Amino acid sequence: MEWDEPRTALLEHRVDAAVCRLPFPTGGLHVTVLYDEPRVVLMPLDHRLAHRESLTLDDIADEPLPLLSSDAAWNAHWRIDPRPDGSRAPDGPVVDAVEDKNEFVAAGQAVAIVPAGIRHRPDLTTVPLEGVEPSHVVLATRAGDRDRLLAAFRVCAEDLLTG
């Protein structure tokens, strides 16, 4: 699935369960946080901040961040927009796909805030972003679904990942 498909795929019965990241609309779904994952800043290897041990929002205050063309909640979460001080995140290029975002980052036209566990291209690097809420990885299923196999899967996933 694409990053923005889990809810639709679940409600259209194309899948019975999805392990994905918030935010997305959860109406009609049963959502359980499995674990939290720190957020990091993705940038080219030669970026001026690439060799720092960690960064804060102040460090990237002037760095353009990609905008997804279709999801305001996703933009607010992944761009941290608005910032805690009320300032707006600088607009970078508009993207529709992860590959596009990576191309703009590699070209030095933007940096991106991403989950720490995401694999990235060898010409990019990540630096931990301090002082921000982590990304929430969730198990989502249709609310009220009574399938026993799905219930067993949910129990197994929760036992293994919620620790």
Side-chain angles (χ1 to χ4, degrees):
M1 280 186 290
E2 294 294 325
W3 64 270
D4 61 348
E5 284 187 281
R7 182 174 193 274
T8 302
L10 285 160
L11 295 177
E12 292 177 352
H13 293 262
R14 289 186 280 138
V15 299
D16 292 320
V19 175
C20 46
R21 287 184 176 81
L22 291 175
F24 61 88
T26 58
L29 302 178
H30 181 271
V31 176
T32 302
V33 175
L34 297 174
Y35 61 92
D36 291 337
E37 189 172 29
R39 290 193 264 179
V40 297
V41 180
L42 180 71
M43 63 188 69
L45 289 170
D46 62 354
H47 191 280
R48 65 182 177 80
L49 300 172
H51 299 291
R52 299 270 301 268
E53 287 189 33
S54 67
L55 298 170
T56 66
L57 288 175
D58 288 341
D59 295 322
I60 61 168
D62 297 325
E63 296 288 338
L65 296 164
L67 283 158
L68 293 174
S69 63
S70 61
D71 195 323
W74 193 264
N75 280 329
H77 179 77
W78 288 104
R79 292 167 39 86
I80 310 172
D81 191 18
R83 302 290 165 83
D85 66 3
S87 65
R88 303 300 307 206
D91 289 345
V94 176
V95 299
D96 289 312
V98 171
E99 295 80 12
D100 296 337
K101 175 181 67 178
N102 290 341
E103 287 297 323
F104 285 117
V105 170
Q109 296 177 21
V111 300
I113 299 170
V114 299
I118 292 290
R119 292 187 175 262
H120 54 79
R121 299 169 16 168
D123 59 338
L124 302 176
T125 191
T126 59
V127 178
L129 183 59
E130 303 293 332
V132 299
E133 290 292 318
S135 168
H136 303 294
V137 177
V138 301
L139 172 61
T141 58
R142 286 179 295 282
D145 197 322
R146 304 221 187 292
D147 182 281
R148 289 191 311 211
L149 183 58
L150 188 55
F153 175 75
R154 175 178 289 288
V155 169
C156 182
E158 290 172 359
D159 286 348
L160 285 172
L161 296 173
T162 60

